[in-house]
Amino acid sequence: MKISRVTEMRELDRTAIEKFGIAEELLMENAGMATYAVLSKETGIKGKNYIVFCGIGNNGGDGLVIARKIHSDGGNVKVFILGDPNQFKGAAKMNMDIVRKLPVETRRIESIEMIKSDMYHCDAIVDAIFGTGLVREIKGLHGEVVDWINESGTKVFSVDIPSGVNGDSGEIMGKSVRADYTVTFGLPKIGNILYPGYERCGKLFVTHISFPPSIYNSLKIETNHTPEIPPRSKNGHKGDFGEVLFIAGAAGYMGAPYFAALSFLKAGGGYSRLAAPGSIIPFIGNKGSEIVLVPQKETASGSISLQNKNALLELSEKMDMVVIGPGLSLDEETRQLVRELAEEIGKPLLIDGDGITAVCKDLQQILRHRNAETVLTPHLGEMSRMTGKSVNEIEIHKIDILQHSARDLNAVIVLKGAHSLIGLPDERVFINLSGNCGMASAGSGDVLAGAISGMFGLGMSVCDAVRKGVFIHGVAGDLAAEEKGEDGITAQDLMEKLPLAVKMDREGFDETYRNRYIGADII
């Protein structure tokens, strides 16, 4: 499903009007009718009491369409306007003029006292105060209204996006409506899909309001609807399902290399080799006997020594992919090893964790000169080190920064977090909807590295393997949460659910999971 920026949606509106002759009034009517359809299905209309809160822009105009339709079908509706109703323009003004002629109570809100009694006695509230273009924090009377909507205990239906959610980031602009249902128009906006805005939307619906698909098919952002995993050969041997080298681990960091290397096998990979410091090899071997262990010479601090470089380069040439970084430590000699290996390894390379910190010193110099594909899997802190931008700035401008970085570094970048983002060098961005907050625990990223390399081992391209690996990793987290709850999920829990996640993906998800991962129901 394609996702749009606010400016892109304005351009889509303009194209629909100017190129295809779809009048603004018709677009507004379609938007209001779609929201009304959800309202009717979820609450019923006849004899019910509704309040529609309208701002004085087009979002308010959509609300007026909804109010008119409620009245038409036997509901009792009151319209409360935040602002001067004489400032409505265009299609919104047309709908204001229509509503004024109907026996529908329409009032401008002067104080919160005017609406308290009505809010206690309504069956549902329609939030049509602000649309996706909000750029300032909600304060004053508008803020009081939002607070009362949230405290009402009444079902809330938001028009396009909950008022107070930034359409381009999902950021909360001071405060926002907490909707039970949101109907967004044309396409979902970034703010409908990214946290915290996604959570404020409740159940999300989208109506294309008669946009022809041709006007939005070229957009660069979409949900991570992944391609199928190639069939597993019935007479294949382990070499047919990928050989991956993991360069990972240090004294005190034994979990990371274990989870990464074994998760590759759990996700369907064939042959996992782990190059780790010799002193920790016995401990890993006791837990993961399926992994082929390659002991490495160590630094004084117990990390992998630079002395291993030539042997690792030689071994990497026999592999299909190399994963470097999980639990490597921040030892300077090991960092130098990572930088030199990253520049010289001629196979697809996934860099994670401490490996990302190591290459940040010469990021562009190292990655731009690589001939094979590169995958980076940073969390927000590592993305901050990669870009030199603050975590807060990245949070607000995630998509833009990710697109620039992936293009500039010629790398596939997975920005990990709630609804992880996958950025490709051609500036496409995929928003992943599987997973949950219980996955925010130590070792989760190591399991992700194994899942991605596992998908590559099964025959997917690097880009497709990253997308599918991120998705499967999230599904494994959802399966673990379903069994145990979100509190206390460990990397071990995630890893153990990988085979079932792959099985479900191959066979097709049931309705519950499909609805969870689709992004928005289409009206």
Side-chain angles (χ1 to χ4, degrees):
M1 181 176 291
K2 294 290 186 178
I3 308 296
S4 82
R5 292 180 169 87
V6 173
T7 53
E8 289 171 333
M9 184 52 57
R10 291 184 185 135
E11 183 63 19
L12 293 178
D13 281 335
R14 188 189 67 79
T15 301
I17 293 167
E18 295 181 3
K19 182 176 180 179
F20 293 96
I22 305 172
E24 181 186 16
E25 293 81 0
L26 181 57
L27 294 175
M28 185 171 287
E29 187 76 7
N30 289 343
M33 289 295 287
T35 308
Y36 171 80
V38 174
L39 185 73
S40 177
K41 179 182 177 183
E42 298 297 333
T43 66
I45 298 296
K46 192 172 181 63
K48 300 288 183 69
N49 299 313
Y50 296 91
I51 292 176
V52 179
F53 288 100
C54 293
I56 54 174
N58 280 349
N59 199 249
D62 299 329
L64 293 168
V65 174
I66 297 164
R68 170 163 49 80
K69 184 61 178 170
I70 291 172
H71 171 73
S72 174
D73 285 357
N76 305 309
V77 60
K78 294 183 179 181
V79 177
F80 294 143
I81 300 174
L82 282 150
D84 182 359
N86 293 316
Q87 292 185 18
F88 278 116
K89 298 177 182 179
K93 180 181 184 303
M94 182 195 78
N95 279 291
M96 183 73 253
D97 292 342
I98 294 171
V99 169
R100 278 173 167 156
K101 296 173 184 176
L102 300 174
V104 171
E105 183 178 342
T106 304
R107 285 188 285 165
R108 178 178 179 176
I109 302 176
E110 302 288 354
S111 72
I112 199 72
E113 300 301 323
M114 292 176 55
I115 63 173
K116 286 182 179 179
S117 177
D118 290 300
M119 289 184 70
Y120 288 134
H121 298 95
C122 69
D123 295 292
I125 293 169
V126 175
D127 156 37
I129 304 170
F130 294 111
T132 56
L134 182 69
V135 294
R136 57 184 172 82
E137 289 196 352
I138 295 181
K139 298 178 180 178
L141 181 59
H142 289 80
E144 291 182 61
V145 170
V146 167
D147 287 339
W148 270 91
I149 290 173
N150 290 339
E151 294 167 8
S152 68
T154 304
K155 282 188 178 180
V156 178
F157 295 77
S158 282
V159 175
D160 208 12
I161 200 166
S163 292
V165 174
N166 184 292
D168 275 335
S169 68
E171 177 189 8
I172 306 303
M173 307 301 285
K175 57 184 63 179
S176 80
V177 168
R178 294 181 181 272
D180 296 283
Y181 306 89
T182 298
V183 182
T184 193
F185 310 134
L187 296 171
K189 319 310 178 293
I190 293 171
N192 292 123
I193 300 296
L194 293 186
Y195 282 95
Y198 177 80
E199 188 175 26
R200 300 297 173 95
C201 287
K203 184 167 178 55
L204 183 62
F205 297 83
V206 61
T207 173
H208 297 311
I209 55 173
S210 67
F211 280 174
S214 60
I215 71 174
Y216 57 76
N217 280 340
S218 62
L219 294 182
K220 296 280 192 178
I221 308 168
E222 59 187 281
T223 52
N224 189 29
H225 182 70
T226 54
E228 291 184 0
I229 302 171
R232 195 173 182 93
S233 173
K234 299 299 183 184
N235 65 343
H237 57 81
K238 58 182 179 286
D240 293 329
F241 305 116
E243 297 188 52
V244 173
L245 171 63
F246 295 84
I247 304 172
Y253 295 96
M254 290 173 278
Y258 162 74
F259 286 121
L262 193 57
S263 291
F264 165 72
L265 299 175
K266 288 284 189 179
Y271 205 84
S272 180
R273 284 183 173 85
L274 172 60
S279 62
I280 69 171
I281 286 289
F283 300 96
I284 296 173
N286 284 335
K287 292 188 68 178
S289 56
E290 303 92 337
I291 304 166
V292 177
L293 300 167
V294 187
Q296 300 292 293
K297 297 175 183 177
E298 302 180 28
T299 65
S301 66
S303 61
I304 300 176
S305 168
L306 184 60
Q307 298 175 62
N308 301 288
K309 174 186 169 182
N310 291 335
L312 287 171
L313 284 174
E314 184 178 346
L315 180 56
S316 72
E317 288 306 307
K318 302 173 184 177
M319 299 292 103
D320 298 308
M321 174 180 268
V322 177
V323 175
I324 189 168
L328 273 180
S329 86
L330 300 180
D331 182 279
E332 183 50 45
E333 182 180 336
T334 304
R335 288 196 203 186
Q336 184 61 32
L337 171 67
V338 172
R339 288 191 285 269
E340 294 185 20
L341 288 175
E343 197 163 13
E344 296 181 42
I345 286 173
K347 296 297 179 75
L349 177 65
L350 188 156
I351 308 176
D352 180 49
D354 294 334
I356 292 175
T357 301
V359 298
C360 279
K361 183 177 180 181
D362 301 298
L363 196 59
Q364 291 188 354
Q365 175 67 25
I366 292 169
L367 298 189
R368 279 181 172 176
H369 292 86
R370 280 184 45 77
N371 293 320
E373 295 105 318
T374 307
V375 180
L376 302 167
T377 56
H379 54 55
L380 279 169
E382 290 161 346
M383 193 70 176
S384 177
R385 289 193 284 276
M386 284 170 53
T387 61
K389 300 181 184 298
S390 69
V391 168
N392 183 60
E393 185 178 359
I394 295 171
E395 282 274 28
I396 296 171
H397 303 289
K398 279 182 181 177
I399 303 274
D400 293 338
I401 291 171
L402 180 61
Q403 285 181 312
H404 177 269
S405 298
R407 183 189 67 241
D408 196 43
L409 298 173
N410 192 33
V412 180
I413 301 177
V414 179
L415 181 54
K416 297 183 289 193
H419 288 185
S420 292
L421 305 178
I422 302 146
L424 306 188
D426 63 6
E427 296 191 351
R428 283 184 293 160
V429 172
F430 297 91
I431 303 175
N432 188 68
L433 301 183
S434 64
N436 60 81
C437 62
M439 299 170 69
S441 63
S444 179
D446 306 311
V447 176
L448 173 61
I452 291 172
S453 55
M455 294 302 104
F456 183 73
L458 289 173
M460 305 190 86
S461 69
V462 169
C463 289
D464 286 349
V466 173
R467 291 176 55 198
K468 181 64 81 174
V470 171
F471 177 71
I472 290 293
H473 179 251
V475 174
D478 290 335
L479 291 170
E482 185 176 298
E483 180 181 309
K484 299 185 174 184
E486 292 177 348
D487 294 302
I489 294 175
T490 66
Q492 187 76 34
D493 297 324
L494 298 180
M495 183 175 71
E496 295 301 335
K497 292 297 183 184
L498 286 175
L500 179 56
V502 174
K503 179 177 183 288
M504 290 174 66
D505 186 87
R506 286 189 183 278
E507 295 178 353
F509 292 97
D510 64 25
E511 185 176 358
T512 300
Y513 282 94
R514 283 200 305 274
N515 290 342
R516 187 184 303 182
Y517 302 144
I518 196 171
D521 286 356
I522 298 175
I523 302 174

